[in-house]
Structures are given as C-alpha cells and as structure tokens.
Amino acid sequence: MDGHSIVDQTSSIGSRELASLSESAKHASLPARVPANNGNHSLAEMAQRDLEATLQLLTERAQYITGASGAAIALIEDSEMICRASAGPSAPELGAEVQLKSSLTGESVRTRQVLRCDNTETDPRVNRETCIALNIKSVMVVPLLREQEVIGVFELLAD
C-alpha cells in the first residue's frame, strides 16, 4: 500500500496504538472545551485558521479522490465570491475573485443547483477565457447552502 492511499490502514495497528485509541475513546464523551486564549491570538483568529485549514484539506482530498486536475472552494465575502481553498494546477489561485455574472458558477449560485459542463469548448455557460488559461475541459459546480442562502461554491475541474 502506498503512502498516499486513502484506504483504511487500521489493520496494521499494534497493541500499543489500540490501547491508545481505547483510552481516547473513553474521553470522547467528555464535554468539549473552548481553547483558552493564550494572549497571542484571539479565538476569532484561531477559528479563522481552523476554517482555512479545513477548507484546504477538503479541497485537496476531493481532488485526490476524484482524480480531478483541480478543486476549489469559494465563499461569499461582502458582495464578492472569493476562492478560499484551492488544489491542483487547474484550480484558481487563493484569493481570486470568482465571476458570477456570466459563468457556470454564477448560474449554479442563482439556481441553487449542482451543475456540470462536459465540454468547456462548446458550453456557452462557462467563461471560456478562464477555461483556456487554466486548461479546464470540464467542470462540476456545487452550491454551498446555509438554510436557503448560498454562501459559496465547491468546484471540481478536469483537464
């Protein structure tokens, strides 16, 4: 099994690791504690870093599992949609603004539907210039919803 395998590797756990997992399980039912403010970072700053790390991990795992050439998560900030996590050569850069006016992403946000484009060269819903620049041949866009409000998108891109 290679080092990049996503297959469960618990079958190779030894007795010490198993005891450690058992000990951890005993404490899992204890109430969660908010980390103490150590004076260097506010709780809001720590939460922001955790969010960024989580989004990045989700993006990287999705790209790896699907074999996509790129994956990205963009969230609405003020009136713009900004790329907050990015993985792979086809994905937009972190901090890039995602166009909503004339794009597949914009249509997904407006309709609140998962959309797919199988061929960016012939689909009028995509931004062809961006697809050419990033060598994107197909796209899937999933709107991220909180209740009925779109708060962002998750995109998978293929070359």
Side-chain angles (χ1 to χ4, degrees):
M1 184 178 312
D2 65 24
H4 300 289
S5 178
I6 60 171
V7 177
D8 183 72
Q9 299 177 8
T10 57
S11 60
S12 63
I13 288 180
S15 59
R16 273 186 286 162
E17 291 88 354
L18 194 53
S20 176
L21 286 173
S22 177
E23 188 63 27
S24 296
K26 288 179 192 175
H27 300 293
S29 62
L30 296 176
R33 292 187 183 155
V34 175
N37 184 347
N38 64 6
N40 295 332
H41 303 287
S42 72
L43 291 176
E45 289 171 328
M46 290 188 291
Q48 185 64 35
R49 279 197 318 275
D50 287 349
L51 172 64
E52 291 168 4
T54 301
L55 293 176
Q56 189 61 39
L57 179 63
L58 287 169
T59 304
E60 290 170 0
R61 292 286 170 92
Q63 181 208 5
Y64 177 77
I65 289 168
T66 63
S69 60
I73 295 175
L75 299 177
I76 293 178
E77 297 176 10
D78 298 323
S79 60
E80 299 175 330
M81 183 155 312
I82 305 296
C83 181
R84 297 285 303 277
S86 177
S90 298
E93 292 182 21
L94 288 177
E97 183 179 351
V98 177
Q99 297 300 316
L100 295 177
K101 290 186 169 91
S102 60
S103 67
L104 188 69
T105 302
E107 185 175 336
S108 179
V109 168
R110 285 188 297 280
T111 64
R112 294 180 173 85
Q113 294 182 349
V114 175
L115 297 178
R116 188 177 90 189
C117 165
D118 293 327
N119 186 344
T120 60
E121 293 178 8
T122 60
D123 194 324
R125 301 174 299 170
V126 300
N127 182 320
R128 292 198 62 210
E129 293 78 27
T130 300
C131 291
I132 291 168
L134 296 173
N135 194 32
I136 298 169
K137 303 295 183 202
S138 61
V139 181
M140 186 175 93
V141 182
V142 179
L144 303 174
L145 303 171
R146 180 185 301 138
E147 296 177 15
Q148 292 301 313
E149 179 185 0
V150 176
I151 60 167
V153 294
F154 173 76
E155 295 183 346
L156 285 173
L157 313 156
D159 59 7

